[in-house]
Amino acid sequence: RHPVRFVPGQYLELTIPHRRADFRGSRRYFTISSAPTDKGPVTCALTVPETSSSFKQAVLDLAPGAALYATGVGGDFTLPRDASEPLLLVAGGIGITPFASQLAHAIARGETRDVVVVYTTSSTEPLPYSELLTASGARVVLYAPEKPATLPRGWEYAGAGRVTGARLVAAVPDAAKRRTFISGPPALVNELRRALRSQGARRVHSDYFSGY
């Protein structure tokens, strides 16, 4: 066993051998959701649909304490070293995962960054990492089917429905001046990336979560 070395925003490849693996096999990529640490656990997050792939079912069937094998760490979806650069982080559903790692790392380092998080979800369930987002001090713009009964400090509800480029720019007027990171389903990422670039944004990074 060796320590997992990574930069917040990177992913690892996990291998889980299992019987009757589907055509996608026994390996998948998971974005790391925890901050780098010498002592703490390395965590990942996943959604659980009603019908799961053979790999996801194998994950759900793991016993607590089971050993997993990571065959590599990679990715360049990482924040700039200059903590003074304004950021826009756009997350669609489970796409919040890399931002959880990045913001947790910023908190641990005592960094004060100018961050706007746009968080869009189709679920009415409690939002993952809401406490972490609040603790980070980021301005959080939420798109969800219903307005929560209470919003954490620094949060605002922007409405229901699909987040378009026009809605994003209306909610974050200075979006084109921020370094932007978009993480989520491919259709959402591609649409918002095009919209931001049409507004003059030059630094737009993307990370896709296609599901498995």
Side-chain angles (χ1 to χ4, degrees), residues 154-201:
W155 289 53
E156 57 193 79
Y157 179 65
R162 187 170 61 89
V163 180
T164 62
R167 294 182 76 185
L168 176 61
V169 172
V172 190
D174 66 346
K177 298 179 181 180
R178 294 174 174 271
R179 183 185 291 268
T180 300
F181 295 79
I182 310 175
S183 175
L188 174 74
V189 172
N190 291 332
E191 178 178 353
L192 297 184
R193 182 176 57 190
R194 287 194 299 267
L196 286 168
R197 285 181 173 168
S198 72
Q199 295 293 319

Side-chain angles (χ1 to χ4, degrees), residues 6-57:
F6 66 96
V7 177
Q10 291 190 307
Y11 60 82
L12 53 76
E13 185 184 49
L14 288 181
T15 300
I16 304 180
H18 57 281
R19 294 183 177 181
R20 298 181 180 178
D22 60 24
F23 71 96
R24 295 188 63 185
S26 59
R27 294 183 179 182
R28 297 290 192 282
Y29 294 105
F30 283 85
T31 296
I32 301 169
S33 60
S34 54
T37 174
D38 292 331
K39 298 181 180 179
V42 175
T43 65
C44 301
L46 69 159
T47 57
V48 183
E50 292 184 5
T51 302
S52 299
S53 66
S54 67
F55 183 91
K56 185 168 289 187
Q57 189 58 53

Side-chain angles (χ1 to χ4, degrees), residues 7-129:
V7 177
Q10 291 190 307
Y11 60 82
L12 53 76
E13 185 184 49
L14 288 181
T15 300
I16 304 180
H18 57 281
R19 294 183 177 181
R20 298 181 180 178
D22 60 24
F23 71 96
R24 295 188 63 185
S26 59
R27 294 183 179 182
R28 297 290 192 282
Y29 294 105
F30 283 85
T31 296
I32 301 169
S33 60
S34 54
T37 174
D38 292 331
K39 298 181 180 179
V42 175
T43 65
C44 301
L46 69 159
T47 57
V48 183
E50 292 184 5
T51 302
S52 299
S53 66
S54 67
F55 183 91
K56 185 168 289 187
Q57 189 58 53
V59 172
L60 299 176
D61 291 340
L62 289 171
L68 299 181
Y69 297 93
T71 51
V73 173
D76 58 3
F77 193 72
T78 57
L79 299 187
R81 293 184 179 181
D82 182 1
S84 68
E85 187 170 0
L87 302 174
L88 171 59
L89 313 181
V90 184
I94 196 62
I96 192 66
T97 307
F99 303 140
S101 176
Q102 293 163 347
L103 293 175
H105 187 56
I107 292 172
R109 291 168 59 90
E111 295 178 350
T112 302
R113 289 180 178 261
D114 177 2
V115 180
V116 177
V117 177
V118 174
Y119 197 171
T120 174
T121 178
S122 59
S123 174
T124 57
E125 299 296 324
L127 292 173
Y129 307 111

Side-chain angles (χ1 to χ4, degrees), residues 195-208:
L196 286 168
R197 285 181 173 168
S198 72
Q199 295 293 319
R202 296 181 179 180
R203 298 163 297 179
V204 181
H205 310 266
S206 55
D207 192 23
Y208 296 101

